[in-house]
């Protein structure tokens, strides 16, 4: 993302990135399918079952030459943490502003030359596998594609889909996403839950 500051990265952010890269490589993770070579996109990842997910996605994107971004509460971008948060790819979201978070992120995309925004589409680790629709609304508002990411802890492997452009039909697009994920990990029950959610949305004609 185009930063509001022109400066050398902070020492802390450089140390953290090196540690993340070392952990990723030491654990023997591999990329099954690479990221598409496009400048702006939303990465919608699942399953989200561990706090370590961000570490390994960051390591994988670094291997692909991408510095991922994430959304964070605007108060985290103040004081001593400000430079670090921006250096790590943070996009500040102010819930007190009139513009909602979708509009704020869409504006960040418009201002950036390159932006790969990572979103845990399930929302929380306690999810049963259904996805929140925020990732879709952001991609639609920013007019950027969605790249779906999957991970297998057992195989130490992860991968990325080809770009999926929002068509405006959330249910049908979610079916495409579910089909892709099931093709990669047909044994994972959470992806079957996502498939059922997508089918239900299509049948009901809404979200």
């Amino acid at each position: 993302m185009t930063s509001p500051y022109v400066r050398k990265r902070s020492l802390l952010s450089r140390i953290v990135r090196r540690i993340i890269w070392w952990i990723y490589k030491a654990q023997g993770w591999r990329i099954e399918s690479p990221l598409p070579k496009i400048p702006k996109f939303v990465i919608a990842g699942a399953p989200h079952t561990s706090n370590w997910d961000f570490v390994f996605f960051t390591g994988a994107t670094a291997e692909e030459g991408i510095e991922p971004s994430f959304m964070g509460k605007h108060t985290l971008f103040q004081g001593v943490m400000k430079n670090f948060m921006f250096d790590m790819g943070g996009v500040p979201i102010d819930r007190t502003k009139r513009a909602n978070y979708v509009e704020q992120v869409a504006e960040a995309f418009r201002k950036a030359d390159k932006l790969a925004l990572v979103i845990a589409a399930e929302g929380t680790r306690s999810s049963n596998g259904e996805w929140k629709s925020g990732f879709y609304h952001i991609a639609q508002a920013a007019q950027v594609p969605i790249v779906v990411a999957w991970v297998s802890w057992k195989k130490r492997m992860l991968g990325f889909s080809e770009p999926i452009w929002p068509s405006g039909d959330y249910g049908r697009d979610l079916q495409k996403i579910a089909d892709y994920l099931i093709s990669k990990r047909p044994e994972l029950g959470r992806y079957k839950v996502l498939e059922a959610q997508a089918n239900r949305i299509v049948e009901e004609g809404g979200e």
Side-chain angles (χ1 to χ4, degrees):
M1 179 181 176
T2 302
S3 172
Y5 308 100
V6 179
R7 63 174 192 283
K8 185 178 180 180
R9 286 192 183 279
S10 67
L11 176 61
L12 178 58
S13 66
R14 283 180 280 146
I15 290 173
V16 169
R17 285 185 180 277
R18 285 184 179 274
I19 291 173
I20 288 175
W21 175 249
W22 181 85
I23 293 174
Y24 170 79
K25 297 301 288 187
Q27 290 287 325
W29 283 80
R30 294 176 293 121
I31 297 175
E32 187 263 356
S33 49
L35 278 165
K37 304 302 182 183
I38 52 178
K40 302 181 186 182
F41 51 98
V42 169
I43 302 177
H48 177 40
T49 57
S50 168
N51 285 329
W52 285 97
D53 292 341
F54 181 75
V55 171
F56 296 118
F57 273 117
T58 301
T61 51
E63 186 171 343
E64 292 288 285
I66 298 292
E67 293 186 0
S69 293
F70 61 92
M71 294 182 291
K73 190 175 181 181
H74 73 285
T75 53
L76 297 175
F77 295 77
Q78 299 173 358
V80 296
M81 289 295 293
K82 180 172 68 175
N83 288 354
F84 174 75
M85 292 295 291
F86 278 115
D87 287 350
M88 292 304 295
V91 177
I93 301 299
D94 187 349
R95 297 282 187 174
T96 66
K97 283 189 174 181
R98 187 171 184 177
N100 65 32
Y101 81 97
V102 171
E103 294 170 338
Q104 291 179 55
V105 179
E107 180 63 21
F109 268 105
R110 284 189 285 272
K111 290 180 178 179
D113 298 321
K114 295 181 179 180
L115 182 54
L117 182 69
V118 178
I119 299 177
E122 292 176 339
T124 65
R125 297 191 306 277
S126 61
S127 167
N128 67 348
E130 291 195 351
W131 282 25
K132 307 294 185 181
S133 60
F135 78 97
Y136 190 85
H137 295 308
I138 288 171
Q140 196 170 29
Q143 298 182 337
V144 298
I146 298 159
V147 173
V148 183
W150 61 273
V151 61
S152 172
W153 279 81
K154 184 177 180 180
K155 295 181 179 179
R156 292 289 194 269
M157 184 179 292
L158 48 78
F160 305 94
S161 75
E162 291 296 314
I164 299 173
W165 286 89
S167 68
D169 188 332
Y170 178 57
R172 296 293 183 188
D173 290 341
L174 201 61
Q175 284 180 327
K176 293 178 185 178
I177 291 171
D179 288 345
Y180 169 76
L181 291 172
I182 290 173
S183 75
K184 296 301 179 181
R185 294 194 59 188
E187 83 290 351
L188 190 63
R190 291 166 83 108
Y191 292 163
K192 300 294 179 61
V193 171
L194 176 63
E195 180 182 46
Q197 178 192 11
N199 292 341
R200 184 178 70 251
I201 291 171
V202 169
E203 290 173 2
E204 296 175 353
E207 290 189 12

